[in-house]
Amino acid sequence: MTDLSSTPPSGPVARLPVVQTVADAYRFTLQRIGQVVIAAVVPFSLSMLIALINYNLGEGPFTFVTILVDLFAYAIFAVAWHRALLVNEAPNLIPRLGNRQLRFWLMGLLIALVMTGVAFVPTLLFGFLAAGAGQGAVALFVLPVLLLCAYLLARFSFVFPAAAVDERFGLGASWRTTADNAWRLIGAYLLAILPMMVAVLGLMVVASGLLGVAVPIGGPVEAIEPAMGGAVAVFVIVAFSVVNYIFAAVFVSLLSLSFRTCTGWVADSGQTPPGGSAPRDDGSGDARYH
């Protein structure tokens, strides 16, 4: 957008209602599960291909490239789903690739670099202090670094929905508009992830019990034991990937709703899904911040 109405506010325009926003995110996603499938076909297929390549090749010099490709696959899906919520644009089976996905992907890499740089010194310091310490002491050192990374991610996260709707919105604007809402965002993400944890544990029970194989707790799906056999391994990888994409849609919905609430942004058409966390359009026909 180029008009003055699209200038981001100098700070948050509202406090994020955590429970309401999480409920709206789940409601929007589950009510449009068919659109989730359409948006996910291409990126999910690409992610599956990457997962199977990593499973067969294991760790190696090619791993970093596959991670970058997998992140771009997620960018394709996330942009489509951000637009489904923010501008009521139905996803296409064959996505139209362009600057939106590239900007989303590059912003993700930039934030990862910033977080790595900021966390490097305390991580190095904690590493020296934790040398020879027990696992409990190491956990105490690691926890502050994880909290710092979560805080930074929350403060920078609004660049993602903004990129999906072509807004001029950088890290500084995201930092300003998430002020006083960072911990609320983190709380919303933690609340939203609880059903995913239950679903993942359920898949582990199915794989371990019905299929008679051992599924590792934690780590990537590519870490599944080769001893389970090729067909079973593929089944488990697909199952975990499906769950990941469903909850990715929930988190994208959550981020879109949070972006609208905290910035006051509304779409050109004003066609927004129902929910207490969505601002109203003034009927002017312009995308703007209220």
Side-chain angles (χ1 to χ4, degrees), residues 6 23 36 42 56 94 102 105 138-139 145 173 180 207 211 224 229 263:
S6 67
V36 173
V42 171
N56 286 291
I94 305 299
L102 181 60
W105 182 68
V138 172
V145 176
D180 301 326
L211 300 178
I224 297 170
T263 66

Side-chain angles (χ1 to χ4, degrees), residues 28-242:
F28 179 84
T29 303
L30 296 179
Q31 287 177 347
R32 302 196 180 192
I33 197 67
Q35 291 188 359
V36 173
V37 173
I38 293 174
V41 168
V42 171
F44 176 81
S45 300
L46 185 56
S47 293
M48 281 302 310
L49 178 62
I50 295 300
L52 293 174
I53 288 175
N54 287 340
Y55 172 74
N56 286 291
L57 297 182
E59 296 291 335
F62 191 61
T63 302
F64 181 70
V65 176
T66 61
I67 291 175
L68 293 179
V69 175
D70 197 30
L71 290 175
F72 190 76
Y74 171 75
I76 296 173
F77 173 76
V79 166
W81 199 243
H82 275 304
R83 293 186 64 81
L85 192 152
L86 290 172
V87 298
N88 201 31
E89 179 181 280
N92 294 312
L93 185 62
I94 305 299
R96 294 190 295 268
L97 302 182
N99 290 334
R100 292 168 185 155
Q101 293 84 0
L102 181 60
R103 179 174 174 79
F104 189 105
W105 182 68
L106 290 175
M107 278 294 184
L109 296 181
L110 177 60
I111 291 174
L113 287 175
V114 171
M115 291 171 58
T116 300
V118 171
F120 176 75
V121 174
T123 300
L124 188 64
L125 177 61
F126 292 156
F128 283 123
L129 295 177
Q135 291 185 352
V138 172
L140 292 177
F141 291 135
V142 171
L143 182 60
V145 176
L146 294 178
L147 288 175
L148 175 61
C149 291
Y151 181 81
L152 291 175
L153 183 58
R155 295 301 300 270
F156 292 141
S157 60
F158 284 178
V159 300
F160 297 117
V165 292
D166 306 316
E167 286 290 348
R168 297 173 300 183
F169 203 94
L171 296 181
S174 181
W175 188 269
R176 292 190 297 272
T177 52
T178 53
D180 301 326
N181 275 313
W183 295 112
R184 287 175 173 268
L185 282 167
I186 293 173
Y189 294 143
L190 291 176
L191 181 60
I193 204 174
L194 292 178
M196 180 179 182
M197 294 175 62
V198 174
V200 169
L201 289 175
L203 284 176
M204 290 179 178
V205 170
V206 170
S208 300
L210 298 181
L211 300 178
V213 297
V215 178
I217 298 178
V221 294
E222 295 86 358
I224 297 170
E225 293 183 8
M228 69 174 60
V232 176
V234 170
F235 169 81
V236 175
I237 290 175
V238 170
F240 272 91
S241 297
V242 168

